[in-house]
Amino acid sequence: MLINGYDDDSLVAGEHLLSHPGFWAAYLMWLTGKDDEFEKPDEEWFGADAADAGAAYEALNDEENWPVFRVPFGGGHTAVVVQRNFPDDWGTEYFITHPDWGRLGYLATIDGHQAGPGLSWQELIHIANTPGPSGEGVHEPSARLLLLLPALGDADLPTNAVATIASALIAAGAPAATAPRTAELLLDNPMWEPAHWAVPGESPLSGAEPPFADILLCDGVMSPRCGMRLAQGITRTQSDHLAQALGTWKA
C-alpha cells in the first residue's frame, strides 16, 4: 500500500483486523486508563479476553507490516489511521487525504510526543455517519466512530455523547452492562485536554493565520489545527469541499 509521506514504510491494509475478537480491546483499552486502584482497564469491557487482546495487539504492532485503516467519507476524502511500528518509535497517526491533494491533512499523533486533538465531536460524528462509496475501507458507522475516537478532543460534548459511544461499543461486541462506563472513560482522553472548536470569525485565535471559511480551528495548543489550516496547500475550492465533507459547511 502506498501513501504519500510513507513511501519507504511497510504499510498493509488493516481493516480485516476489526473482525478479530480482541481488536477493540487492543486498540482502545489504553484510552480507558485511570490512576485508580479500584478500576483497572479490562479486556472484558470490550467483549474480549486477555488472550484475544494479546493476539490483536501483536498484529497491530507488527514491525514488518504496519496496519492502515481507511475511513472513506464525503467528496472522495478518506480519514486514515496508520499504526507506525518503528521498533523505537511506536505511535498512531491520524490524517485526512484526497486523491487531488499534494499533501496530507494531519489530525493527530499518539505517541511519546503527542499532537492533538484532531477532531471535534461534530466532525467525528459526521464522518462516522457519512461513509463514502462502497469499496476498500471501513463502512460500518460504529466501527468508523471507534477508529477515529482517539483523535477526538472537544470541551463542548453534547449530552448524548456517552450514550452514542456506548451504542458503538455494544455494536462492536462490548457488554451492554459496562458500555456506558467504558464510554465515559474513552471520552476522557489522557493525551490532551478537551479543546474548543470554532469556525474563523466566531472565536479568533491569537496568532492564527487567516484560514479558509468553515474549516474549524482548535484552541488546544498541542493540536495540529491550532491556528493552522487543515490540509496545507489545498485550494479554496478544495477547502470548501472538505468543509462540506466534515459537516461544517455553512455557505
Side-chain angles (χ1 to χ4, degrees):
M1 178 182 296
L2 296 177
I3 296 177
N4 186 25
Y6 295 83
D7 302 337
D8 298 325
D9 301 316
S10 302
L11 306 183
V12 297
E15 289 87 4
H16 67 283
L17 295 176
L18 272 66
S19 62
H20 192 289
F23 175 79
W24 293 112
Y27 183 74
L28 289 175
M29 196 165 70
W30 69 270
L31 198 52
T32 66
K34 291 184 62 187
D35 186 16
D36 185 342
E37 62 178 311
F38 300 107
E39 190 173 37
K40 300 297 185 183
D42 194 314
E43 295 86 356
E44 292 182 359
W45 296 353
F46 300 91
D49 60 28
D52 286 335
Y57 185 84
E58 288 185 9
L60 270 174
N61 293 276
D62 186 342
E63 294 176 5
E64 302 299 325
N65 298 286
W66 297 7
V68 176
F69 304 94
R70 294 158 292 181
V71 179
F73 62 109
H77 301 87
T78 302
V80 181
V81 182
V82 173
Q83 197 71 15
R84 189 190 68 231
N85 292 333
F86 287 122
D88 299 316
D89 188 20
W90 175 93
T92 308
E93 298 179 349
Y94 298 80
F95 56 86
I96 291 175
T97 187
H98 190 282
D100 294 337
W101 296 357
R103 286 186 280 178
L104 306 175
Y106 273 96
L107 297 174
T109 299
I110 292 174
D111 59 13
H113 303 281
Q114 67 267 26
L119 287 170
S120 70
W121 177 262
Q122 177 185 5
E123 294 168 332
L124 173 64
I125 294 301
H126 192 80
I127 292 173
N129 291 324
T130 55
S134 61
E136 295 178 335
V138 180
H139 296 271
E140 204 284 313
S142 62
R144 294 160 63 87
L145 178 62
L146 294 176
L147 272 173
L148 298 178
L149 181 60
L152 172 71
D154 197 325
D156 300 311
L157 294 176
T159 56
N160 69 340
V162 169
T164 299
I165 301 301
S167 294
L169 288 167
I170 293 168
T178 57
R181 179 54 181 158
T182 306
E184 289 180 359
L185 295 171
L186 289 172
L187 287 168
D188 186 16
N189 193 315
M191 286 287 176
W192 42 71
E193 294 296 323
H196 294 92
W197 298 81
V199 295
E202 286 187 1
S203 179
L205 302 176
S206 176
E209 65 172 270
F212 293 151
D214 297 325
I215 297 289
L216 299 180
L217 291 179
C218 177
D219 70 356
V221 296
M222 297 173 61
S223 174
R225 300 178 62 184
C226 181
M228 294 290 290
R229 190 180 297 163
L230 176 57
Q232 298 290 300
I234 65 175
T235 67
R236 174 57 190 264
T237 297
Q238 290 170 332
S239 181
D240 289 347
H241 291 161
L242 176 59
Q244 293 176 43
L246 290 171
T248 56
W249 177 255
K250 294 181 175 63

